[in-house]
Amino acid sequence: MTQTITAMYDTYPEATAAKAKLVALGIPEVGVRILSGSEVGTTTSAATTHEGGMWGSLKEFFMPEEDRHLHAEGLNRGGTMLTATVEDSYAERTYDILEEHGSVDMDEREASWRKEGWSGQAAGAPVMAATPVTSTETTGLHAAGGTETVAARGTAQGTDYIPVVEERLNVGKRMVDSGRVRVRSYAVEKAVSENVTLHDETVHVDRRVVDRAVTPGDMALFEDKVIEATEMREQAVVSKEARVVGEVGIRKEASDRVETVTDKVRHTEVEVTDERGNVERTGTAGTTTGTAPRKPV
């Protein structure tokens, strides 16, 4: 179920700031409408004047007649009206956002206007029957629920009207988080082994028994003489080399899909039966006329 919440602001920037906050919350932009009294007042055409000025500009908003008079007067005084059609789950947050941005307390404003001499009748509006002014809100916000019935309105000529109402389905779009993919790299250690052949050189001292005569070449035998040899051994030398052996990346692909949104909308039909037995049914799709069967005498 949805409901329409209405708020009045003294300035146009306050209303636009509230609208931006509602859209950021996830409410479709087509469901948030702004009507500025200053803009309507400066762009009023002959047709709008004929329909009742600010009163005529509110004809598309379904609200009780006393609220319509009150908001029309606010528009006449340069205010800005915001209406938001929201689902029930968004209603409480919507009220908070509208109040945070300075929505007008319409009960207090009405009392102030009446002290100034305002009669409760909007300029250009048909004269309404005197009814006590009631309100269930103290913040200036008014909600019209999906099951609310609009009361019949009267005119100065005494003609009563029943409005024929039709709901229209507004489908908006918003981006939602459907899952996150994260790629993270980190270092780990593992034990590895490698075989390597090493060369060793070992020095040995050999002794042997000799019994022979001294030769001329051995004359220097009694001089000091030193011989030496050094042992050599190979050791494994370890070094590390970092190489890139692969890459992991993230790639996004965008595609469009068609989704069928199914919901139910309502409309009102009016059945008129006169004493002559004629039955006329008027709905939003057209008008049908027939004759009701006569009752036996």
Side-chain angles (χ1 to χ4, degrees):
M1 294 295 294
T2 61
Q3 56 179 287
T4 300
I5 302 174
T6 303
M8 181 67 71
Y9 293 91
D10 287 328
T11 64
Y12 183 79
E14 291 176 336
T16 55
K19 178 180 178 179
K21 192 70 171 293
L22 293 176
V23 173
L25 180 64
I27 298 173
E29 187 171 1
V30 295
V32 184
R33 302 173 58 186
I34 291 179
L35 182 62
S36 174
S38 59
E39 291 183 358
V40 173
T42 56
T43 59
T44 301
S45 63
T48 305
T49 304
H50 178 71
E51 293 178 357
M54 297 298 181
W55 177 264
S57 65
L58 293 174
K59 63 183 179 181
E60 297 182 0
F61 298 90
F62 298 108
M63 61 177 64
E65 186 175 4
E66 59 272 14
D67 289 345
R68 189 177 176 190
H69 281 278
L70 187 59
H71 286 79
E73 181 65 19
L75 293 174
N76 280 327
R77 294 173 180 257
T80 300
M81 188 179 75
L82 181 149
T83 63
T85 302
V86 302
E87 297 179 359
D88 291 341
S89 58
Y90 286 96
E92 291 298 327
R93 185 60 184 138
T94 299
Y95 281 115
D96 294 339
I97 291 175
L98 295 180
E99 291 179 0
E100 289 171 1
H101 288 80
S103 61
V104 174
D105 189 325
M106 295 305 289
D107 292 338
E108 294 182 358
R109 193 59 58 89
E110 179 185 8
S112 175
W113 292 342
R114 288 184 180 274
K115 290 180 180 179
E116 297 173 359
W118 182 56
S119 63
Q121 182 81 8
V127 179
M128 65 176 181
T131 56
V133 179
T134 60
S135 174
T136 59
E137 301 289 339
T138 60
T139 61
L141 306 178
H142 301 272
T147 59
E148 184 176 11
T149 302
V150 181
R153 302 187 177 112
T155 65
Q157 290 76 20
T159 303
D160 292 334
Y161 292 94
I162 295 179
V164 179
V165 185
E166 179 185 22
E167 285 185 337
R168 296 181 181 179
L169 185 63
N170 297 322
V171 180
K173 298 186 293 184
R174 63 174 177 173
M175 296 295 293
V176 296
D177 189 347
S178 60
R180 181 173 299 180
V181 177
R182 182 178 63 174
V183 177
R184 181 175 67 94
S185 66
Y186 55 94
V188 296
E189 292 183 349
K190 67 176 182 179
V192 296
S193 61
E194 187 75 23
N195 294 328
V196 59
T197 301
L198 302 176
H199 176 72
D200 293 341
E201 294 181 354
T202 306
V203 177
H204 298 279
V205 178
D206 295 333
R207 290 180 173 86
R208 61 184 178 178
V209 178
V210 178
D211 187 9
R212 63 181 176 83
V214 176
T215 64
D218 296 330
M219 295 304 293
L221 292 176
F222 295 99
E223 296 179 1
D224 293 340
K225 186 178 181 180
V226 178
I227 60 174
E228 64 179 17
T230 302
E231 289 187 346
M232 302 297 293
R233 174 180 296 179
E234 286 185 336
Q235 291 184 340
V237 179
V238 178
S239 63
K240 299 178 182 179
E241 178 187 9
R243 299 185 62 84
V244 179
V245 297
E247 293 179 339
V248 178
I250 294 179
R251 177 170 54 90
K252 293 177 66 176
E253 291 184 354
S255 61
D256 296 331
R257 71 182 189 279
V258 178
E259 180 177 337
T260 302
V261 179
T262 304
D263 204 342
K264 293 182 179 179
V265 297
R266 297 167 300 163
H267 68 273
T268 61
E269 295 185 356
V270 178
E271 178 179 297
V272 180
T273 305
D274 60 26
E275 296 180 354
R276 296 166 294 180
N278 294 324
V279 179
E280 180 179 350
R281 293 183 176 87
T282 303
T284 57
T287 302
T288 60
T289 305
T291 303
R294 296 180 178 273
K295 296 181 180 179
V297 180

PDB file of all heavy atoms in Angstrom, residues 7 11 15 34 37 48 59 63 96 106 143 151 166 168 187 197 204 226 238 273 290 295:
ATOM      1  N   ALA A   7       3.330  18.361   2.476  1.00  0.00           N
ATOM      2  CA  ALA A   7       3.982  19.304   3.387  1.00  0.00           C
ATOM      3  C   ALA A   7       4.051  20.664   2.703  1.00  0.00           C
ATOM      4  O   ALA A   7       4.141  20.758   1.477  1.00  0.00           O
ATOM      5  CB  ALA A   7       5.382  18.828   3.769  1.00  0.00           C
ATOM      6  N   THR A  11       9.793  28.462   1.703  1.00  0.00           N
ATOM      7  CA  THR A  11      10.669  28.795   0.584  1.00  0.00           C
ATOM      8  C   THR A  11      10.802  27.602  -0.343  1.00  0.00           C
ATOM      9  O   THR A  11      10.680  26.446   0.072  1.00  0.00           O
ATOM     10  CB  THR A  11      12.072  29.211   1.077  1.00  0.00           C
ATOM     11  OG1 THR A  11      12.694  28.096   1.737  1.00  0.00           O
ATOM     12  CG2 THR A  11      11.971  30.391   2.026  1.00  0.00           C
ATOM     13  N   ALA A  15      11.909  23.117  -0.002  1.00  0.00           N
ATOM     14  CA  ALA A  15      11.169  22.010  -0.604  1.00  0.00           C
ATOM     15  C   ALA A  15      12.062  21.176  -1.509  1.00  0.00           C
ATOM     16  O   ALA A  15      12.007  19.937  -1.498  1.00  0.00           O
ATOM     17  CB  ALA A  15       9.965  22.548  -1.381  1.00  0.00           C
ATOM     18  N   ILE A  34       6.486  18.992  -6.575  1.00  0.00           N
ATOM     19  CA  ILE A  34       6.615  20.293  -5.918  1.00  0.00           C
ATOM     20  C   ILE A  34       5.764  21.294  -6.676  1.00  0.00           C
ATOM     21  O   ILE A  34       5.808  21.375  -7.903  1.00  0.00           O
ATOM     22  CB  ILE A  34       8.085  20.757  -5.885  1.00  0.00           C
ATOM     23  CG1 ILE A  34       8.901  19.870  -4.941  1.00  0.00           C
ATOM     24  CG2 ILE A  34       8.180  22.214  -5.445  1.00  0.00           C
ATOM     25  CD1 ILE A  34      10.371  20.253  -4.862  1.00  0.00           C
ATOM     26  N   GLY A  37       4.108  28.359  -5.022  1.00  0.00           N
ATOM     27  CA  GLY A  37       3.139  29.436  -5.130  1.00  0.00           C
ATOM     28  C   GLY A  37       3.673  30.613  -5.923  1.00  0.00           C
ATOM     29  O   GLY A  37       2.951  31.234  -6.712  1.00  0.00           O
ATOM     30  N   THR A  48      -5.850  29.307 -16.286  1.00  0.00           N
ATOM     31  CA  THR A  48      -5.686  29.017 -14.860  1.00  0.00           C
ATOM     32  C   THR A  48      -6.512  29.959 -14.016  1.00  0.00           C
ATOM     33  O   THR A  48      -7.126  29.565 -13.015  1.00  0.00           O
ATOM     34  CB  THR A  48      -4.196  29.125 -14.483  1.00  0.00           C
ATOM     35  OG1 THR A  48      -3.441  28.268 -15.324  1.00  0.00           O
ATOM     36  CG2 THR A  48      -3.979  28.741 -13.038  1.00  0.00           C
ATOM     37  N   LYS A  59      -6.144  20.959  -8.356  1.00  0.00           N
ATOM     38  CA  LYS A  59      -7.221  20.038  -8.724  1.00  0.00           C
ATOM     39  C   LYS A  59      -6.734  18.595  -8.900  1.00  0.00           C
ATOM     40  O   LYS A  59      -7.514  17.658  -8.786  1.00  0.00           O
ATOM     41  CB  LYS A  59      -7.899  20.519  -9.999  1.00  0.00           C
ATOM     42  CG  LYS A  59      -6.977  20.543 -11.216  1.00  0.00           C
ATOM     43  CD  LYS A  59      -7.688  21.096 -12.433  1.00  0.00           C
ATOM     44  CE  LYS A  59      -6.763  21.136 -13.651  1.00  0.00           C
ATOM     45  NZ  LYS A  59      -7.463  21.689 -14.827  1.00  0.00           N
ATOM     46  N   MET A  63      -7.265  15.535  -1.774  1.00  0.00           N
ATOM     47  CA  MET A  63      -7.167  15.854  -0.357  1.00  0.00           C
ATOM     48  C   MET A  63      -8.511  16.389   0.107  1.00  0.00           C
ATOM     49  O   MET A  63      -9.319  16.866  -0.711  1.00  0.00           O
ATOM     50  CB  MET A  63      -6.047  16.873  -0.100  1.00  0.00           C
ATOM     51  CG  MET A  63      -6.222  18.213  -0.795  1.00  0.00           C
ATOM     52  SD  MET A  63      -4.916  19.411  -0.378  1.00  0.00           S
ATOM     53  CE  MET A  63      -3.483  18.599  -1.061  1.00  0.00           C
ATOM     54  N   ASP A  96       9.958  12.287   8.897  1.00  0.00           N
ATOM     55  CA  ASP A  96      11.147  12.861   9.550  1.00  0.00           C
ATOM     56  C   ASP A  96      11.903  13.791   8.606  1.00  0.00           C
ATOM     57  O   ASP A  96      12.331  14.883   9.001  1.00  0.00           O
ATOM     58  CB  ASP A  96      12.071  11.728  10.024  1.00  0.00           C
ATOM     59  CG  ASP A  96      11.445  10.890  11.124  1.00  0.00           C
ATOM     60  OD1 ASP A  96      10.515  11.401  11.785  1.00  0.00           O
ATOM     61  OD2 ASP A  96      11.872   9.737  11.313  1.00  0.00           O
ATOM     62  N   MET A 106       0.801  23.547   9.758  1.00  0.00           N
ATOM     63  CA  MET A 106      -0.359  24.169   9.123  1.00  0.00           C
ATOM     64  C   MET A 106      -1.442  24.535  10.122  1.00  0.00           C
ATOM     65  O   MET A 106      -2.212  25.480   9.888  1.00  0.00           O
ATOM     66  CB  MET A 106      -0.915  23.226   8.057  1.00  0.00           C
ATOM     67  CG  MET A 106       0.046  22.982   6.893  1.00  0.00           C
ATOM     68  SD  MET A 106       0.597  24.499   6.093  1.00  0.00           S
ATOM     69  CE  MET A 106      -0.902  25.010   5.272  1.00  0.00           C
ATOM     70  N   ALA A 143      -1.425  13.015   5.294  1.00  0.00           N
ATOM     71  CA  ALA A 143      -1.240  11.802   4.505  1.00  0.00           C
ATOM     72  C   ALA A 143      -2.571  11.341   3.968  1.00  0.00           C
ATOM     73  O   ALA A 143      -3.570  11.342   4.678  1.00  0.00           O
ATOM     74  CB  ALA A 143      -0.617  10.682   5.351  1.00  0.00           C
ATOM     75  N   ALA A 151     -14.359  12.891   0.115  1.00  0.00           N
ATOM     76  CA  ALA A 151     -15.727  13.272   0.420  1.00  0.00           C
ATOM     77  C   ALA A 151     -16.309  14.109  -0.709  1.00  0.00           C
ATOM     78  O   ALA A 151     -15.614  14.756  -1.472  1.00  0.00           O
ATOM     79  CB  ALA A 151     -15.769  14.071   1.726  1.00  0.00           C
ATOM     80  N   GLU A 166      -9.225   7.703 -10.413  1.00  0.00           N
ATOM     81  CA  GLU A 166      -8.503   6.602 -11.045  1.00  0.00           C
ATOM     82  C   GLU A 166      -7.063   6.610 -10.561  1.00  0.00           C
ATOM     83  O   GLU A 166      -6.402   7.649 -10.570  1.00  0.00           O
ATOM     84  CB  GLU A 166      -8.525   6.745 -12.568  1.00  0.00           C
ATOM     85  CG  GLU A 166      -7.765   5.632 -13.290  1.00  0.00           C
ATOM     86  CD  GLU A 166      -7.708   5.857 -14.787  1.00  0.00           C
ATOM     87  OE1 GLU A 166      -7.862   7.021 -15.214  1.00  0.00           O
ATOM     88  OE2 GLU A 166      -7.525   4.882 -15.524  1.00  0.00           O
ATOM     89  N   ARG A 168      -3.150   5.573 -10.971  1.00  0.00           N
ATOM     90  CA  ARG A 168      -2.217   5.294 -12.048  1.00  0.00           C
ATOM     91  C   ARG A 168      -0.937   4.699 -11.460  1.00  0.00           C
ATOM     92  O   ARG A 168      -0.477   5.137 -10.412  1.00  0.00           O
ATOM     93  CB  ARG A 168      -1.893   6.566 -12.836  1.00  0.00           C
ATOM     94  CG  ARG A 168      -3.114   7.137 -13.544  1.00  0.00           C
ATOM     95  CD  ARG A 168      -2.777   8.378 -14.346  1.00  0.00           C
ATOM     96  NE  ARG A 168      -3.952   8.919 -15.003  1.00  0.00           N
ATOM     97  CZ  ARG A 168      -3.959  10.015 -15.760  1.00  0.00           C
ATOM     98  NH1 ARG A 168      -2.815  10.675 -15.941  1.00  0.00           N
ATOM     99  NH2 ARG A 168      -5.060  10.426 -16.326  1.00  0.00           N
ATOM    100  N   ALA A 187      50.656 -12.376   1.145  1.00  0.00           N
ATOM    101  CA  ALA A 187      51.841 -13.232   1.023  1.00  0.00           C
ATOM    102  C   ALA A 187      51.742 -14.431   1.970  1.00  0.00           C
ATOM    103  O   ALA A 187      51.300 -14.298   3.116  1.00  0.00           O
ATOM    104  CB  ALA A 187      53.114 -12.434   1.338  1.00  0.00           C
ATOM    105  N   THR A 197      74.934 -29.957  -6.559  1.00  0.00           N
ATOM    106  CA  THR A 197      76.184 -30.719  -6.409  1.00  0.00           C
ATOM    107  C   THR A 197      77.307 -29.763  -6.006  1.00  0.00           C
ATOM    108  O   THR A 197      77.573 -28.779  -6.714  1.00  0.00           O
ATOM    109  CB  THR A 197      76.541 -31.430  -7.713  1.00  0.00           C
ATOM    110  OG1 THR A 197      75.473 -32.307  -8.085  1.00  0.00           O
ATOM    111  CG2 THR A 197      77.832 -32.240  -7.556  1.00  0.00           C
ATOM    112  N   HIS A 204      95.585 -34.047   2.410  1.00  0.00           N
ATOM    113  CA  HIS A 204      96.054 -35.185   3.201  1.00  0.00           C
ATOM    114  C   HIS A 204      97.598 -35.119   3.329  1.00  0.00           C
ATOM    115  O   HIS A 204      98.277 -34.704   2.398  1.00  0.00           O
ATOM    116  CB  HIS A 204      95.661 -36.518   2.556  1.00  0.00           C
ATOM    117  CG  HIS A 204      94.179 -36.712   2.452  1.00  0.00           C
ATOM    118  ND1 HIS A 204      93.428 -37.143   3.512  1.00  0.00           N
ATOM    119  CD2 HIS A 204      93.326 -36.535   1.410  1.00  0.00           C
ATOM    120  CE1 HIS A 204      92.158 -37.235   3.152  1.00  0.00           C
ATOM    121  NE2 HIS A 204      92.074 -36.858   1.850  1.00  0.00           N
ATOM    122  N   VAL A 226     109.251 -24.951   3.503  1.00  0.00           N
ATOM    123  CA  VAL A 226     107.831 -25.037   3.911  1.00  0.00           C
ATOM    124  C   VAL A 226     106.983 -25.306   2.674  1.00  0.00           C
ATOM    125  O   VAL A 226     107.151 -24.627   1.637  1.00  0.00           O
ATOM    126  CB  VAL A 226     107.359 -23.731   4.587  1.00  0.00           C
ATOM    127  CG1 VAL A 226     105.891 -23.840   4.938  1.00  0.00           C
ATOM    128  CG2 VAL A 226     108.173 -23.469   5.840  1.00  0.00           C
ATOM    129  N   VAL A 238      72.176 -19.150  -1.749  1.00  0.00           N
ATOM    130  CA  VAL A 238      70.728 -19.053  -2.051  1.00  0.00           C
ATOM    131  C   VAL A 238      70.365 -17.608  -2.354  1.00  0.00           C
ATOM    132  O   VAL A 238      70.722 -16.698  -1.595  1.00  0.00           O
ATOM    133  CB  VAL A 238      69.877 -19.570  -0.869  1.00  0.00           C
ATOM    134  CG1 VAL A 238      68.394 -19.405  -1.185  1.00  0.00           C
ATOM    135  CG2 VAL A 238      70.221 -21.023  -0.583  1.00  0.00           C
ATOM    136  N   THR A 273     -29.243   6.151 -10.833  1.00  0.00           N
ATOM    137  CA  THR A 273     -30.543   5.537 -11.096  1.00  0.00           C
ATOM    138  C   THR A 273     -31.633   6.559 -10.800  1.00  0.00           C
ATOM    139  O   THR A 273     -31.717   7.079  -9.679  1.00  0.00           O
ATOM    140  CB  THR A 273     -30.756   4.290 -10.226  1.00  0.00           C
ATOM    141  OG1 THR A 273     -29.663   3.391 -10.427  1.00  0.00           O
ATOM    142  CG2 THR A 273     -32.065   3.613 -10.553  1.00  0.00           C
ATOM    143  N   GLY A 290     -28.307   2.428 -19.643  1.00  0.00           N
ATOM    144  CA  GLY A 290     -29.266   1.364 -19.906  1.00  0.00           C
ATOM    145  C   GLY A 290     -30.542   1.604 -19.119  1.00  0.00           C
ATOM    146  O   GLY A 290     -30.701   2.580 -18.411  1.00  0.00           O
ATOM    147  N   LYS A 295     -39.996  -3.316 -11.710  1.00  0.00           N
ATOM    148  CA  LYS A 295     -40.492  -4.256 -10.717  1.00  0.00           C
ATOM    149  C   LYS A 295     -41.983  -4.543 -11.004  1.00  0.00           C
ATOM    150  O   LYS A 295     -42.729  -3.650 -11.422  1.00  0.00           O
ATOM    151  CB  LYS A 295     -40.336  -3.657  -9.311  1.00  0.00           C
ATOM    152  CG  LYS A 295     -38.891  -3.430  -8.929  1.00  0.00           C
ATOM    153  CD  LYS A 295     -38.817  -2.870  -7.533  1.00  0.00           C
ATOM    154  CE  LYS A 295     -37.370  -2.634  -7.140  1.00  0.00           C
ATOM    155  NZ  LYS A 295     -37.263  -2.058  -5.778  1.00  0.00           N
TER     156      LYS A 295
END
